[in-house]
Amino acid sequence: MLLDLFRNRFARTPLGLDRETALKGERIFAAGRVLAVRESAPGRLEGEVEGSAGETYKTTVRLAPNGAVIRVSNECTCPVGFDCKHGAALLLAWLRDLQDGVGGDREGGQASREASPQIAALERHQVLQWVRELRLLRWQPGAQGTRS
């Protein structure tokens, strides 16, 4: 679900997020253990995720577009510390909010109804990157649709 949502949203492959971690994150999300998710800057998500023993972990996810992929990384206060299931759950909560047309910020399960300016900036950055990539493809010698 997480990997499909990510690919559908960004039309890119998430690099740095393996299938096993994504599945564990999906279980955490399904259990309602993402307590808060917010965008602190374009491409940077922060939030709190409840651990299995009830502790609260502070988690940060970074999204960095790079060609045909988006590099996904996270830091967490859990024992693993980075690229963990809590980051995957936080990313899934953010993607589900976007898919549902809800803003990118959620506190205590209540999501903001206004579009976040950070989301708009990230999406604008991605659109501009895609346009640049398409222009490069269009003007490559020998590529279909190039101008002579």
Side-chain angles (χ1 to χ4, degrees):
M1 172 173 52
L2 171 56
L3 296 175
D4 291 336
L5 263 177
F6 190 94
R7 286 185 194 106
N8 289 340
R9 176 67 185 177
F10 297 109
R12 295 186 184 193
T13 301
L15 182 65
L17 182 62
D18 64 85
R19 186 173 241 11
E20 183 178 336
T21 302
L23 290 172
K24 289 177 182 178
E26 290 173 12
R27 288 192 288 270
I28 290 171
F29 173 79
R33 294 178 16 212
V34 176
L35 305 175
V37 59
R38 63 196 156 277
E39 286 189 75
S40 58
R44 181 182 168 106
L45 312 173
E46 295 179 344
E48 291 79 38
V49 180
E50 182 181 341
S52 54
E55 59 284 311
T56 299
Y57 297 125
K58 295 194 181 302
T59 306
T60 301
V61 175
R62 288 182 182 80
L63 304 172
N66 184 9
V69 299
I70 294 180
R71 172 75 177 125
V72 177
S73 62
N74 84 283
E75 296 173 1
C76 187
T77 58
C78 75
V80 173
F82 65 95
D83 296 342
C84 65
K85 60 188 179 183
H86 306 107
L90 190 74
L91 178 59
L92 179 55
W94 180 71
L95 288 169
R96 287 299 292 266
D97 284 352
L98 291 177
Q99 178 187 11
D100 294 343
V102 178
D105 295 345
R106 178 203 328 217
E107 296 288 341
Q110 299 300 313
S112 165
R113 294 285 174 194
E114 297 177 19
S116 156
Q118 290 90 353
I119 293 172
L122 178 61
E123 289 177 347
R124 182 176 186 278
H125 170 77
Q126 289 169 338
V127 168
L128 290 174
Q129 180 67 30
W130 292 330
V131 168
R132 281 187 219 107
E133 291 169 7
L134 287 172
R135 283 183 183 156
L136 287 174
L137 289 173
R138 182 175 171 199
W139 293 102
Q140 286 179 350
Q144 282 188 339
T146 60
R147 295 185 183 178
S148 302

